[in-house]
Amino acid sequence: MTNSSLTIGVDVGGTNTDAALLSGQTLLGSCKVPTTEDVTTGVRNAVAAVIDQTSTNPAEVAAVMVGTTHFLNALLERKKLSRTGVLRLCGPTSRSLPPMVDWPDDLRACVDGGSEYCDGGVNFDGSVITALNESEIRQHCAQWREDDVSAIAVSGVFSLVDPQCELDAAHIISDEMPGATVCLSHQIGQNGLLQRESATILNASLQTLGKTTVLAFEKAFSDLDLNANLYLTQNDGTLMSADYAMRFPVQTIASGPTNSMRGAAFLTGLQNAVVVDIGGTTTDIGIIVNGFSRTKSEGATIAGVSTNFRVPDVLSLPLGGGSVVQTDGNLRIGPESVGYRLGSEARCFGGDTLTATDLVVAQGRAQLGDGARVAELDADLLTESQELINEQIADVIDRMKPSSDAIPAIFVGGGSILVQGTLAGVSEVIRPEHFGAANAIGAAIAQISGETDRIVSLETTTRERALDATIEEAKLRATAAGAEPDSLEIADISKTPLAYLPGRAVRIMVKVVGDLKS
Amino acid sequence: MTAWELSEADLEAIAAGAGILGTGGGGSPYLAFLMAREQLRAGLKIRVIDPDDLAADDLVLPLGGIGAPTVGIERIDNGDEGARLVQMIERTTGKKITALIADEIGGGNSLAPMFAAAQLDLPVVDADGMGRAFPETQMTSFFIYGQPVAPAALTDAMGNSLVVTHATSADQLENIMRAATTSLGCSAMMSTPPMAGDFVRRYAIPRTVRQAWTLGNAVQKALKNKTDPVEAILCEAGGRLLIKGKVVDVTKEIDGGFVRGVVTIDGISEDRDRQMLIDIQNEYLVATEQGKQHAMVPDLICMVDLETGRSIGTEEQRYGLRVAVLVLPAPVLLTTPVALESVGPRAFGYDFDFIPMTQST
């Protein structure tokens, strides 16, 4: 990407779809349209609107980055999912818990295409559990062909230590089932067989939808005379190319909050801060560390399935512009909200419900609706409720902070005006210009990353060699996902000796980040 | 004698309560819970019996996992390990095993005997050897009060098996088992020697499965009724609240395979202006405030999330967690002079004697 390339970022939310157009690092315009049921139409509308608003020649747009909810919706609604066969390469081990054992029954019923335990897998030191049995795998493929299953998830014990048996199994499956989707667990998740396998199965079940979604986006954009490259934003706030997204749709599932946080970092130039995204009903609070959102230490539960995906560490608070203010007895704000009915139910808009937005209007800090309708609100109530709002948000910020040091707080989202004055434990309250479009901007400026997670036995290699190999692999992944190889930098390295293991095993996690290849 | 036949909901409550009794260690009961639940779903039964219902000549086999949790969640059990251990010991001794028992009720090992119990249709004794979690297998009331050190058995998911027919001490048995576990890929299941029914009646920590259930059930009920889970735990378990606060500092390091460190907790609301330090060595060992020990091992120092009542392990500690620290009294069998030699403060490297929570304020 050159410094003046035009990029469009799109972020799909529950209510609105935002788009932002940037020239290099300069925001040229942004807009909001309603999210549509099929999602794609809303994305198309947002892109069309921002092109129109900025009078841009569509042919000059180099890239469109989309943070979409297609795949999460499909899992939540149990729709458009492919039935998936599971091949667990484990030898005699790991047979006490079948694949999908802890899934919600209805989701499992939609996805389960039959699972098999097979020879294969390695121990933590790389020694073989049992060798792969080719004829066994071919037999299972025949059964899946007969059952019309065309997506297969392969999970090998300790495939993060040695992925070879998963790769070999994939060759055999492709040979037996040409055209079938094959997902390998070592490319998806982290240590922990059951959860990594579940993530792999989710991914396999979404691949057909991944293809149709990417094709639908490409068609929608070409209808708008765009000739831009398409990227999807993923859970960690970086991008993947369209063909990568077709293979790893599950990696996009939690990209929404990340986009907001990355956008907030971009708008303020801050690399380390807390980001408070206040909407109509909820406030999402997350942390950016060196410009990226901090991930949760425990795995994410996606549509009721326990996985070991690293997703942004975000705490949500039932507080937003539409939160209902209760004045009977103890003053309370939320958790009830008038939500999208704010425009008709809030006091200042002619309704009967006192909302957080009314408080802001009464304080004269926003010109919304009819100020006279809230003019008689008691001054003590305004002061008290402001304290309560600040206190609630400060409390969550404190839980999220990496240490007791005061930290700058960036406020984005439409409801960010609710907060006024100082917050305990916060060094500085920042409300950047264009705070409403932080999510779309975050998508537009996203970079490309590659990650690897390996357990390495130091019996057979040195720490340095193991680290180099892990970094090299992360770089290969980033390049495959669309990164410019020369721009890749190491964003994160962790080396953990494994507890209760004889001190010769270490878990190495590496993440590299770089610019988009032009 | 009437057995308590566990339901799925019972298993869930026991797993939650076992987490609290883990006093910060013991590992996650999640996989063991799923395994036991699969047995129920396959139509098998898990029966729990009171230790007082054991006959003098019953033969009770303790079962538990040994090894690295990182490995245990990746190379998962085959499912035959427990049954195989029973078989090995029956062949070695020529006697029939009539019941199973957990070595350790705290954490993941609480449910370790359940799978085999369902497969073999053997009852699980409502008792264990620790009443909590400890880092080493020989730290049980069983060994403290004279459980023989052989025959003990070990087996892994691939079927590799060994029986130790003689060891010079419980410590030596632990060394042998740990070395063997390492060569088996760092995850295995072991049984310490079988015990007679009357020995278990006298020297097992009684009714700890029920205690775990009570704790877990109290938390689940409180969450459902939107009442305070910490209050519910105190009400049901008879412990004492040490502090409600937030974690403000955590120092941690891995030392010889064990996690050591200190957690600093600043009081909030009614405990404002107080600060408590909790020593970690895999489990929470000692709680200190202004230089004075308020609770110490073997009393149970438990830490739970202030809002959800979920137990918080030493590995999850980080700045900002809102926690309640509770102390539950150690089982009487762990507070005798002979027991304190193995599980008192001095056994963990401290240079002070045990002061029970009932005597400190």
Side-chain angles (χ1 to χ4, degrees):
Chain A
M1 294 270 115
T2 57
N3 286 336
S4 58
S5 297
L6 294 183
T7 54
I8 295 176
V10 185
D11 188 73
V12 182
T15 318
N16 290 313
T17 298
D18 290 279
L21 196 148
L22 279 79
S23 167
Q25 304 280 298
T26 314
L27 179 68
L28 300 183
S30 66
C31 61
K32 238 179 231 304
V33 303
T35 296
T36 56
E37 205 182 325
D38 71 338
V39 183
T40 310
T41 307
V43 171
R44 181 194 178 282
N45 293 345
V47 171
V50 81
I51 286 176
D52 189 48
Q53 186 200 69
T54 52
S55 309
T56 299
N57 173 6
E60 284 175 21
V61 177
V64 183
M65 291 81 165
V66 185
T68 185
T69 52
H70 271 98
F71 305 114
L72 185 58
N73 289 352
L75 290 175
L76 294 176
E77 293 163 10
R78 280 87 165 112
K79 280 181 187 159
K80 300 173 196 154
L81 302 172
S82 307
R83 283 206 306 136
T84 301
V86 186
L87 194 67
R88 185 187 286 176
L89 306 172
C90 55
T93 78
S94 311
R95 295 183 177 220
S96 57
L97 290 175
M100 293 182 256
V101 63
D102 55 350
W103 286 37
D105 290 339
D106 58 340
L107 183 60
R108 182 174 179 173
C110 289
V111 173
D112 193 352
S115 48
E116 303 292 347
Y117 302 121
C118 290
D119 281 346
V122 296
N123 288 302
F124 85 94
D125 59 0
S127 61
V128 170
I129 292 178
T130 46
L132 213 60
N133 179 339
E134 190 172 325
S135 66
E136 184 184 33
I137 296 175
R138 289 189 191 276
Q139 270 173 30
H140 296 318
C141 288
Q143 184 63 50
W144 281 317
R145 266 198 321 260
E146 198 166 300
D147 295 345
D148 220 10
V149 171
S150 61
I152 306 296
V154 182
S155 59
V157 173
F158 278 116
S159 61
L160 295 180
V161 171
D162 182 355
Q164 197 55 47
C165 73
E166 285 189 359
L167 293 168
D168 291 345
H171 278 299
I172 299 167
I173 297 167
S174 299
D175 187 40
E176 283 289 322
M177 305 173 69
T181 287
V182 185
C183 292
L184 308 180
S185 81
H186 75 275
Q187 297 177 335
I188 302 275
Q190 304 184 322
N191 189 56
L193 179 68
L194 201 60
Q195 293 178 314
R196 184 175 71 250
E197 179 179 78
S198 289
T200 310
I201 299 167
L202 287 178
N203 192 61
S205 75
L206 286 169
Q207 273 199 358
T208 305
L209 179 63
K211 282 174 197 144
T212 55
T213 303
V214 167
L215 293 177
F217 278 143
E218 284 175 343
K219 171 156 192 325
F221 295 153
S222 88
D223 287 350
L224 294 171
D225 297 324
L226 285 163
N227 186 26
N229 289 322
L230 170 65
Y231 297 90
L232 266 66
T233 61
Q234 43 183 346
N235 303 338
D236 67 353
T238 60
L239 299 171
M240 50 175 146
S241 59
D243 59 331
Y244 211 69
M246 286 196 262
R247 290 172 56 210
F248 299 106
V250 77
Q251 306 277 23
T252 68
I253 270 172
S255 70
T258 316
N259 287 338
S260 283
M261 285 189 255
R262 293 270 301 147
F266 171 79
L267 288 170
T268 56
L270 290 175
Q271 295 289 298
N272 295 284
V274 58
V275 177
V276 184
D277 186 350
I278 310 183
T281 309
T282 55
T283 297
D284 290 336
I285 299 181
I287 297 278
I288 44 173
V289 180
N290 300 328
F292 285 90
S293 58
R294 182 177 75 195
T295 49
K296 269 196 182 126
S297 51
E298 71 271 33
T301 299
I302 297 171
V305 177
S306 164
T307 73
N308 49 16
F309 266 129
R310 305 283 297 275
V311 296
D313 190 5
V314 173
L315 268 182
S316 292
L317 189 66
L319 176 70
S323 292
V324 175
V325 181
Q326 307 263 12
T327 51
D328 306 341
N330 277 344
L331 178 67
R332 261 192 327 131
I333 302 173
E336 301 81 10
S337 167
V338 296
Y340 66 89
R341 300 183 309 274
L342 183 71
S344 57
E345 295 196 5
R347 188 95 53 100
C348 65
F349 291 116
D352 298 323
T353 311
L354 186 63
T355 66
T357 299
D358 293 314
L359 302 173
V360 178
V361 172
Q363 288 173 327
R365 291 195 289 117
Q367 307 293 322
L368 289 170
D370 180 2
R373 286 184 53 85
V374 292
E376 87 293 358
L377 283 180
D378 183 50
D380 285 348
L381 170 70
L382 294 180
T383 316
E384 257 179 70
S385 53
Q386 188 66 63
E387 278 168 9
L388 186 62
I389 289 172
N390 285 12
E391 217 175 270
Q392 285 184 17
I393 291 177
D395 186 59
V396 178
I397 290 177
D398 189 63
R399 287 172 200 224
M400 298 296 290
K401 285 197 307 188
S403 75
S404 58
D405 298 338
I407 185 170
I410 308 169
F411 283 79
V412 296
S416 60
I417 191 146
L418 291 189
V419 172
Q420 159 89 346
T422 55
L423 292 169
V426 168
S427 60
E428 193 182 358
V429 172
I430 305 156
R431 205 173 280 109
E433 219 183 325
H434 311 296
F435 59 82
N439 52 352
I441 294 166
I445 54 140
Q447 293 174 293
I448 299 260
S449 72
E451 265 184 281
T452 40
D453 175 359
R454 288 275 173 274
I455 293 171
V456 183
S457 166
L458 299 178
E459 303 290 343
T460 51
T461 184
T462 65
R463 195 175 296 259
E464 291 67 32
R465 280 222 304 271
L467 187 59
D468 287 347
T470 313
I471 293 171
E472 206 42 51
E473 169 139 15
K475 286 186 171 174
L476 280 177
R477 286 188 180 200
T479 310
E484 178 65 55
D486 292 340
S487 70
L488 288 171
E489 285 177 22
I490 294 165
D492 197 13
I493 288 188
S494 82
K495 292 169 276 185
T496 323
L498 298 183
Y500 296 106
L501 280 178
R504 306 293 296 159
V506 58
R507 178 175 181 184
I508 304 178
M509 288 191 278
V510 173
K511 178 173 178 171
V512 298
V513 175
D515 295 330
L516 206 52
K517 207 173 346 190
S518 41
Chain B
M1 87 185 177
T2 50
W4 170 25
E5 204 182 302
L6 299 185
S7 66
E8 286 190 20
D10 291 336
L11 283 176
E12 218 167 310
I14 292 167
I20 297 172
L21 293 174
T23 60
S28 163
Y30 185 61
L31 292 188
F33 159 72
L34 290 177
M35 288 177 203
R37 193 179 70 175
E38 280 304 284
Q39 298 297 81
L40 295 187
R41 291 187 175 179
L44 299 175
K45 291 185 168 62
I46 300 172
R47 291 176 294 130
V48 177
I49 57 167
D50 193 273
D52 282 349
D53 288 337
L54 287 169
D57 60 350
D58 264 317
L59 201 57
V60 183
L61 190 69
L63 293 182
I66 173 169
T70 325
V71 174
I73 60 168
E74 179 68 28
R75 196 187 76 181
I76 300 171
D77 285 353
N78 158 286
D80 295 338
E81 290 87 346
R84 194 156 50 237
L85 289 171
V86 170
Q87 236 175 43
M88 287 156 67
I89 292 299
E90 285 182 341
R91 206 171 301 149
T92 305
T93 59
K95 292 177 191 156
K96 204 90 190 124
I97 299 295
T98 56
L100 303 178
I101 192 170
D103 274 309
E104 181 179 38
I105 195 70
N109 273 334
S110 55
L111 296 171
M114 305 281 182
F115 197 95
Q119 282 176 324
L120 303 172
D121 196 27
L122 288 175
V124 176
V125 182
D126 185 359
D128 77 306
M130 296 182 181
R132 49 168 295 154
F134 280 125
E136 292 174 15
T137 37
Q138 82 277 17
M139 294 174 145
T140 59
S141 58
F142 306 152
F143 278 125
I144 291 168
Y145 293 104
Q147 178 189 18
V149 295
L154 187 77
T155 190
D156 73 358
M158 334 253 281
N160 297 301
S161 306
L162 71 119
V163 178
V164 177
T165 54
H166 182 72
T168 49
S169 67
D171 285 344
Q172 186 55 47
L173 176 65
E174 156 91 12
N175 290 342
I176 294 169
M177 290 304 196
R178 217 159 268 284
T181 302
T182 301
S183 79
L184 296 181
C186 284
S187 181
M189 195 167 207
M190 92 179 252
S191 64
T192 56
M195 303 173 289
D198 55 355
F199 179 87
V200 173
R201 255 182 355 221
R202 282 177 67 186
Y203 296 122
I205 315 291
R207 291 167 205 101
T208 48
V209 177
R210 175 64 71 178
Q211 188 191 9
W213 183 91
T214 306
L215 284 166
N217 183 59
V219 171
Q220 288 169 347
K221 232 168 43 190
L223 289 180
K224 202 164 139 238
N225 301 333
K226 301 202 187 310
T227 55
D228 182 1
V230 176
E231 208 48 52
I233 293 171
L234 291 168
C235 239
E236 302 282 347
R240 193 170 78 222
L241 179 68
L242 286 180
I243 194 168
K244 283 185 181 180
K246 76 169 190 193
V247 175
V248 294
D249 194 35
V250 183
T251 59
K252 232 175 9 182
E253 59 192 59
I254 291 183
D255 174 6
F258 292 116
V259 182
R260 288 169 200 271
V262 180
V263 182
T264 309
I265 295 165
D266 276 0
I268 51 178
S269 52
E270 62 261 48
D271 291 328
R272 203 173 312 139
D273 305 326
R274 290 179 54 202
Q275 186 179 68
M276 192 165 270
L277 305 178
I278 315 283
D279 291 4
I280 298 177
Q281 189 180 314
N282 281 20
E283 287 85 33
Y284 303 117
L285 287 190
V286 177
T288 313
E289 184 172 359
Q290 295 187 319
K292 179 176 183 304
Q293 290 100 29
H294 281 238
M296 63 184 72
V297 68
D299 280 346
L300 285 70
I301 300 173
C302 310
M303 209 181 294
V304 299
D305 183 281
L306 207 48
E307 277 160 30
T308 65
R310 195 181 63 84
S311 59
I312 294 174
T314 54
E315 291 164 1
E316 302 170 64
Q317 284 294 341
R318 65 173 173 86
Y319 175 90
L321 289 174
R322 263 39 178 194
V323 299
V325 186
L326 314 162
V327 55
L328 307 180
V332 179
L333 285 166
L334 295 185
T335 60
T336 62
V338 56
L340 289 173
E341 274 176 37
S342 296
V343 299
R346 290 186 190 277
F348 291 89
Y350 292 96
D351 61 354
F352 48 80
D353 291 316
F354 176 60
I355 303 169
M357 61 170 279
T358 44
Q359 287 169 31
S360 67
T361 47

